[in-house]
Amino acid sequence: FFFSSRRRHTRYISVTGVQTCALPILAALAEAALAEGRTFDVELLAGEIQGQPVWYSLSVRRAEPARDEIEAVAVLTDITPLKAQQAELEKLLRERELMFSLSDVGIAYLRGSRIERANQAMARLTGYASPELTTLDSAELYESARDCVEFEAQVAQGLRSQGRFSGERRLRRRDGSGLWVQVAVRPVDPDDAEAGVICSFVDVDERRRARESLAAQAETTRAILNSVLVGIVTVSGQGIEWMNRSARRMFGGELADFVGEPIAVVATPEPDHPLRRTDWLEHLDEGQAETFECRLKGRDGREFWVVGNAVATRTDAHGQQLTFALLDIERRRQAEMNIAQAQASLQRVIETAPLAIALLDAHTHEVQRLNQMAATFFARPLDELPGRAPEAFCTPAKESGRAHV
């Protein structure tokens, strides 16, 4: 529409929702701008629709060709959607600024090797004030130049291959002390290397020390377990995870030969073999154990007897875990078999010998075992003699002092 003005007469264009008293002021400002050859632009809040503000943009420029009478072209545009988007962006910017300023995570914006901006959490981590950080080279936050070169190379490699980087490093503080931090790096614009990167720093010093302590404790525990004569094998849902030196010697191989394999790989062919069971974790709570005895066959072909315990040790990211403690009892079983064979052989000798033979306890002199000839000699039933001393079956001689049967 057209907006025209003469010296003695001005025609106003009314916009719904704009207060009438404001129109003369707008007209005067527009006339002044046009008289100076400028364009007049203004944004007008024209009320609300369903609780949402309605905005218009008014742009007035002088018509061509110029005449004595000022003639202008006025363009009125509904900019409500644009203003809504602008308000949303301003809200997001405020929220982002709050997140940047109030976050407990140290955040720094780097361009090249210079820190352009850092939040308060980053200042607390480093011991520098935020303005001081912007005067530092990022290399000053490393414990050594070598550490800086090596870590920056890892960051560059991660950004090239994945578009981001995450890792841990030592952060040098203002007082010269160091602490471990988790560093995450993302580019501001992946297509523009000059746009810089956003780095976040999380203090993981206590977690790192705890992890190193646990690792040292685990290493000490494994060293102790490697020194014992009992074979120790840990098994998860993915198979064998670790075994000590005694277990490797039993199984006839190295750890790499068994990692990921089921423990039944060393079981003999019996279908009811304990190591073929899959229900251990169904009835064993953490810390509970069950004892078993079975034969094993190593990779070297040797078969031997073991007595063992299966213990539900812990639950981790890989699920529940079993620990098997295995003791090689092959020699003991062989000794037991030899003893049993010797006793059977002795029993056959006692029973078949044409002599009266009785075995007595060395301390109590009680009869432990005897043959039929001895029972006949003592004139007593065979089952009546064991557990009694021979004097109970003999009567002493009256004159010679010797005992007689």
Side-chain angles (χ1 to χ4, degrees):
F1 53 87
F2 289 93
F3 175 91
S4 63
S5 173
R6 295 183 177 84
R7 293 179 181 177
R8 298 183 179 178
H9 178 71
T10 302
R11 243 179 342 113
Y12 300 108
I13 300 172
S14 177
V15 178
T16 303
V18 178
Q19 294 182 1
T20 305
C21 62
L23 295 178
I25 299 174
L26 292 176
L29 293 174
E31 283 188 33
L34 294 177
E36 295 174 2
R38 295 183 291 106
T39 301
F40 177 72
D41 295 295
V42 67
E43 292 180 355
L44 306 172
L45 177 59
E48 294 183 352
I49 296 179
Q50 297 180 349
Q52 299 298 321
V54 178
W55 286 90
Y56 289 97
S57 172
L58 176 63
S59 179
V60 183
R61 63 181 177 82
R62 194 164 184 168
E64 297 295 339
R67 300 177 183 177
D68 293 338
E69 182 184 72
I70 300 178
E71 292 186 355
V73 177
V75 179
L76 187 67
T77 306
D78 184 358
I79 59 170
T80 300
L82 182 62
K83 294 292 286 186
Q85 293 176 4
Q86 183 180 351
E88 185 66 25
L89 287 175
E90 291 175 352
K91 179 182 177 183
L92 290 175
L93 286 174
R94 287 194 300 271
E95 291 176 351
R96 182 177 296 180
E97 183 64 25
L98 285 173
M99 292 173 62
F100 181 82
S101 303
L102 303 179
S103 173
D104 290 332
V105 176
I107 302 174
Y109 168 44
L110 278 73
R111 183 174 289 175
S113 62
R114 307 299 300 183
I115 300 174
E116 296 287 336
R117 191 181 178 197
N119 68 349
Q120 225 17 68
M122 187 66 184
R124 289 194 297 270
L125 276 178
T126 60
Y128 292 94
S130 295
E132 290 179 305
L133 285 171
T134 60
T135 65
L136 297 178
D137 189 289
S138 60
E140 297 182 55
L141 298 178
Y142 288 87
E143 292 191 324
S144 68
R146 180 177 179 180
D147 290 345
C148 176
V149 172
E150 292 178 351
F151 193 79
E152 292 296 332
Q154 296 176 26
V155 172
Q157 175 63 29
L159 293 179
R160 282 194 302 269
S161 61
Q162 300 179 359
R164 56 186 176 82
F165 172 81
S166 180
E168 292 184 3
R169 75 169 178 90
R170 294 279 292 177
L171 177 72
R172 184 180 182 275
R173 306 184 77 247
R174 183 175 187 172
D175 59 5
S177 62
L179 75 160
W180 282 98
V181 291
Q182 175 78 38
V183 184
V185 183
R186 287 182 179 273
V188 175
D189 184 355
D191 299 325
D192 182 7
E194 299 298 326
V197 295
I198 300 294
C199 302
S200 64
F201 297 80
V202 179
D203 184 357
V204 294
D205 201 57
E206 290 187 8
R207 186 181 73 186
R208 179 87 180 204
R209 287 200 301 268
R211 188 168 62 194
E212 290 175 350
S213 176
L214 287 174
Q217 184 178 354
E219 191 62 30
T220 301
T221 302
R222 288 192 174 188
I224 294 172
L225 292 178
N226 273 326
S227 67
V228 301
L229 299 178
V230 177
I232 307 295
V233 185
T234 57
V235 183
S236 68
Q238 286 71 41
I240 294 174
E241 289 187 346
W242 182 80
M243 54 203 303
N244 70 346
R245 188 177 294 113
S246 294
R248 297 196 294 271
R249 186 167 54 249
M250 283 184 190
F251 292 1
E254 295 300 322
L255 178 60
D257 300 325
F258 297 97
V259 169
E261 296 287 342
I263 194 169
V265 72
V266 293
T268 47
E270 296 90 340
D272 58 346
H273 197 285
L275 298 189
R276 299 187 192 280
R277 289 177 51 181
T278 58
D279 61 343
W280 289 106
L281 296 175
E282 294 178 7
H283 65 277
L284 285 181
D285 295 329
E286 186 173 353
Q288 285 188 324
E290 185 171 324
T291 303
F292 59 87
E293 190 171 316
C294 63
R295 287 192 308 145
L296 301 183
K297 183 176 182 180
R299 294 180 77 245
D300 54 3
R302 183 176 76 95
E303 292 192 11
F304 54 97
W305 281 90
V306 297
V307 61
N309 282 340
V311 186
T313 50
R314 64 185 173 91
T315 302
D316 57 11
H318 302 292
Q320 290 180 301
Q321 188 182 67
L322 281 172
T323 296
F324 289 89
L326 307 171
L327 178 63
D328 188 343
I329 58 171
E330 181 65 21
R331 292 183 179 179
R332 190 189 76 183
R333 287 186 64 89
Q334 190 64 43
E336 290 174 350
M337 290 175 60
N338 292 339
I339 291 172
Q341 290 174 359
Q343 288 179 341
S345 176
L346 177 61
Q347 184 64 29
R348 287 194 297 272
V349 170
I350 292 175
E351 291 176 353
T352 59
L355 302 173
I357 300 176
L359 298 181
L360 308 182
D361 185 276
H363 299 288
T364 64
H365 299 162
E366 293 179 351
V367 176
Q368 299 295 315
R369 190 177 302 175
L370 72 166
N371 61 0
Q372 188 61 47
M373 292 290 294
T376 303
F377 177 79
F378 287 119
R380 297 287 192 280
L382 187 63
D383 57 356
E384 183 181 324
L385 300 176
R388 301 173 66 184
E391 288 81 359
F393 318 133
C394 304
T395 57
K398 294 182 179 179
E399 296 180 357
S400 64
R402 296 182 179 178
H404 297 276
V405 177

